[in-house]
Amino acid sequence: MSSFKRHQNTLDTRPPIHREMAQQTLDRGAFKKRITVLAASVPAEKSSPFLKSQELKGSIINIPKTKSIVQDPSDPQKGCCCSGFRSLKADLNEPAQRFLKFHDVATTTQDIDLDYDFWNADEILSAVLPGELLDGAPSGFAATGHIAHLNLNDEYLPYKHVIGQVILDKNKGVKTVVNKLNSIDTKFRFFKMELLAGEPNYVVEHHESNCVFAFDFTKVYWNSRLHTEHDRLVQLFSADDVIADVFAGVGPFALPAAKKGCGVLANDLNPESYKWLSRNIEGNKVQHLVRSFEEDGRDFIKAAARRVWKNPFPEFTPKISKSQTKKGRRALVSEGTRDPAPSSMIDLTSATSAPVHQPTSRRQITHFVMNLPDSAIEFLDAFRGVLAEPELREAYEGKMPMVHCHCFTREVEDQTSAEGDIKQRVEEKLGHVLTDAATFHLVRSVAPGKDMYCISFRLPQEVAFSSP
Ligand SMILES: C[S@@+](CC[C@H](N)C(=O)[O-])C[C@H]1O[C@@H](n2cnc3c(N)ncnc32)[C@H](O)[C@@H]1O
């Protein structure tokens, strides 16, 4: 049985209205509706070509999640093509009518029973929420692993459990639905949240930037909206860089950077973040490139350069595929090298030579990342004298690391005033005027009148070499 084109006036597939349900429990069984459509009864073997016929093309409707061809109950030998029109003569166009007549096809009506599974979250919510809340009804959500998190406006709070249940029902991967409460843990920045529907299981596995992150969403900071910012900074890094991530969380900068080849010191004062960060380092098999710490950011900044100096990261070595290795060896042989060097010694960036390899370990930090926008600027004074020791000073002279410091500003009128405000606060904390160009990146608007930025600048020698 196939369907004739949907006709807005005659085929109403909207769910039945149950506004009383919004503040109670969701009664899925109450969502039942029978629609009656016009059907053409044709021999079973002809019903499929019939459906595809040019003449009926403009008239066949496709009602999602329902079969177009069903058995004609009055004649088991026949299939039925359903039409949305109740009156064949009034609604079917001329070619369709001629076609049906020509094939001597009898028409009939067909009942289609729709139930809760037929409608999507938007449609169910629009049937239960009060009419005045339909515009902007919260069927959308952000997902982290199996958790859907909503940020419900106050007017939707009386209906939060029904909203949660509908979202749970209608989204396959979702097992838990929470509402983020407006309060955020002031120290470790994780969101307080309440369960709306599903399992009270908050340990998620989230995939991002080719890494897997596991963490307890109720105990650590995670914001999926920062994905682009994580990627942006990681793309700035070269594979042989050494990164010090002062407020690392569970590793969304640190792990993708290590996957790229960077050596990383990753720090977070929240014991839960540190725990999951350490697990994620193992889970992503980057133990050789990421070292984790659980310190106050200020102490970490002071200790980081000395740590890497004393205990350097091994030199960056690009992964060499088997085919690259073969190519390199072939190139050497064809150049007349009778006894090609072992593949580990071949410099594949120039397959025509085999230089003697001098390993140089990585002893200097090239980038500091400071994503604690509420107060990261306050930590900048920790850089004073951080490279004052003679051997560090000598090593870093002319090769100062970049600092990427996230912050909020309330100067949102225009970019110039935002930059002026941020630069002034940064300089105040450093105790030094930034003479090299700093760059400013608008990460996102977090609230009306409040923007998040990242300022990137080269750490001034005058600050890092001064007496601590
Ligand atoms: C905004 S989150 C950023 C986490 C991660 N870098 C990201 O992009 O998702 C800031 C992190 O700083 C940590 N933190 C807060 N105060 C800290 C401090 N004084 N020292 C070190 N880490 C701190 C928090 O636990 C939190 O994980």
Side-chain angles (χ1 to χ4, degrees):
M1 177 156 163
S2 73
S3 317
F4 290 88
K5 191 170 185 173
R6 184 180 192 135
H7 193 292
Q8 295 298 340
N9 298 330
T10 53
L11 189 64
D12 180 4
T13 56
R14 287 172 302 178
I17 303 296
H18 287 294
R19 306 240 177 262
E20 78 292 346
M21 226 182 261
Q23 291 193 61
Q24 302 160 6
T25 41
L26 181 69
D27 177 6
R28 298 173 186 80
F31 288 91
K32 290 198 185 306
K33 181 168 186 169
R34 172 164 289 183
I35 52 171
T36 305
V37 295
L38 192 73
S41 188
V42 292
E45 71 280 5
K46 284 195 182 158
S47 49
S48 189
F50 205 80
L51 258 187
K52 291 176 195 150
S53 72
Q54 276 304 318
E55 291 83 349
L56 292 182
K57 209 172 173 194
S59 304
I60 303 277
I61 54 167
N62 177 19
I63 307 173
K65 299 182 196 167
T66 59
K67 286 183 180 163
S68 296
I69 301 174
V70 298
Q71 216 166 46
D72 185 341
S74 61
D75 183 350
Q77 297 304 309
K78 286 187 171 175
C80 252
C81 300
C82 294
S83 149
F85 307 115
R86 283 166 205 282
S87 156
L88 182 70
K89 280 197 181 127
D91 289 304
L92 281 186
N93 61 25
E94 271 288 309
Q97 289 191 39
R98 271 204 309 272
F99 182 78
L100 292 178
K101 201 169 170 194
F102 178 78
H103 286 279
D104 195 20
V105 166
T107 57
T108 175
T109 55
Q110 181 73 34
D111 288 337
I112 301 178
D113 289 317
L114 308 179
D115 62 12
Y116 182 75
D117 292 338
F118 176 78
W119 293 286
N120 63 29
D122 261 337
E123 289 167 322
I124 297 285
L125 288 178
S126 63
V128 297
L129 290 175
E132 67 275 15
L133 294 184
L134 296 188
D135 266 353
S139 59
F141 56 87
T144 305
H146 68 275
I147 299 182
H149 37 103
L150 309 176
N151 227 332
L152 290 179
N153 290 338
D154 287 352
E155 60 271 29
Y156 290 97
L157 291 179
Y159 319 108
K160 60 189 177 187
H161 291 294
V162 162
I163 294 172
Q165 196 58 60
V166 172
I167 286 176
L168 182 71
D169 289 344
K170 297 293 174 187
N171 295 280
K172 256 190 181 160
V174 172
K175 295 201 166 55
T176 305
V177 184
V178 298
N179 186 32
K180 277 187 176 179
L181 302 178
N182 278 335
S183 64
I184 182 167
D185 180 88
T186 45
K187 193 169 179 196
F188 295 137
R189 316 302 300 165
F190 55 83
F191 291 96
K192 308 243 168 87
M193 53 189 77
E194 72 171 324
L195 181 68
L196 299 185
E199 307 164 4
N201 169 15
Y202 305 105
V203 175
V204 298
E205 191 181 291
H206 184 79
H207 296 248
E208 185 178 295
S209 311
N210 201 23
C211 295
V212 190
F213 298 92
F215 51 89
D216 185 331
F217 201 34
T218 59
K219 293 183 178 151
V220 305
Y221 178 89
W222 182 271
N223 188 342
S224 297
R225 292 205 195 106
L226 287 180
H227 183 185
T228 329
E229 179 60 1
H230 298 146
D231 278 355
R232 184 185 73 89
L233 278 193
V234 174
Q235 272 166 27
L236 280 183
F237 305 151
S238 302
D240 58 355
D241 272 330
V242 174
I243 317 298
D245 189 353
V246 185
F247 310 108
V250 297
F253 288 114
L255 302 186
K259 280 264 168 105
K260 192 172 183 176
C262 303
V264 185
L265 303 185
N267 173 67
D268 204 287
L269 186 60
N270 178 355
E272 279 289 323
S273 298
Y274 172 76
K275 177 178 98 183
W276 291 105
L277 168 67
S278 306
R279 286 190 194 175
N280 291 333
I281 292 170
E282 274 187 39
N284 288 279
K285 300 191 170 37
V286 285
Q287 301 93 313
H288 56 304
L289 286 172
V290 189
R291 301 170 192 163
S292 55
F293 302 87
E294 185 186 346
E295 297 172 355
D296 178 70
R298 190 167 267 105
D299 299 333
F300 173 78
I301 291 171
K302 288 180 182 159
R306 167 134 292 279
R307 277 182 175 136
V308 180
W309 185 254
K310 284 251 169 204
N311 184 14
F313 287 97
E315 184 198 27
F316 167 69
T317 42
K319 275 189 188 151
I320 299 170
S321 70
K322 278 187 184 160
S323 68
Q324 279 175 308
T325 310
K326 271 190 196 157
K327 232 189 203 168
R329 289 169 78 89
R330 268 204 306 275
L332 284 174
V333 174
S334 69
E335 275 195 10
T337 314
R338 291 270 164 257
D339 181 17
S343 57
S344 61
M345 289 182 64
I346 298 170
D347 175 6
L348 292 169
T349 52
S350 70
T352 51
S353 59
V356 177
H357 186 74
Q358 293 293 341
T360 48
S361 52
R362 293 179 275 179
R363 312 188 76 176
Q364 278 140 284
I365 294 170
T366 48
H367 295 269
F368 281 88
V369 178
M370 301 176 68
N371 182 17
L372 179 59
D374 213 32
S375 59
I377 290 179
E378 299 300 310
F379 288 75
L380 290 175
D381 58 0
F383 282 105
R384 283 195 220 145
V386 85
L387 301 172
E389 279 177 57
E391 58 180 350
L392 290 181
R393 191 186 170 121
E394 194 185 323
Y396 277 87
E397 185 101 48
K399 297 178 210 147
M400 298 301 285
M402 290 297 292
V403 178
H404 308 278
C405 180
H406 292 89
C407 55
F408 293 131
T409 179
R410 295 210 171 264
E411 296 292 334
V412 295
E413 287 301 301
D414 57 70
Q415 178 100 5
T416 316
S417 42
E419 292 179 6
D421 167 55
I422 296 165
K423 188 161 179 275
Q424 185 200 338
R425 287 188 285 141
V426 166
E427 289 176 344
E428 251 168 48
K429 269 290 152 188
L430 288 174
H432 182 81
V433 175
L434 291 175
T435 44
D436 285 356
T439 59
F440 298 83
H441 174 77
L442 173 62
V443 179
R444 65 188 194 100
S445 288
V446 288
K450 190 176 176 185
D451 288 346
M452 175 179 171
Y453 270 83
C454 176
I455 174 173
S456 297
F457 60 91
R458 198 165 290 287
L459 182 61
Q461 292 192 170
E462 295 81 346
V463 173
F465 294 171
S466 66
S467 349

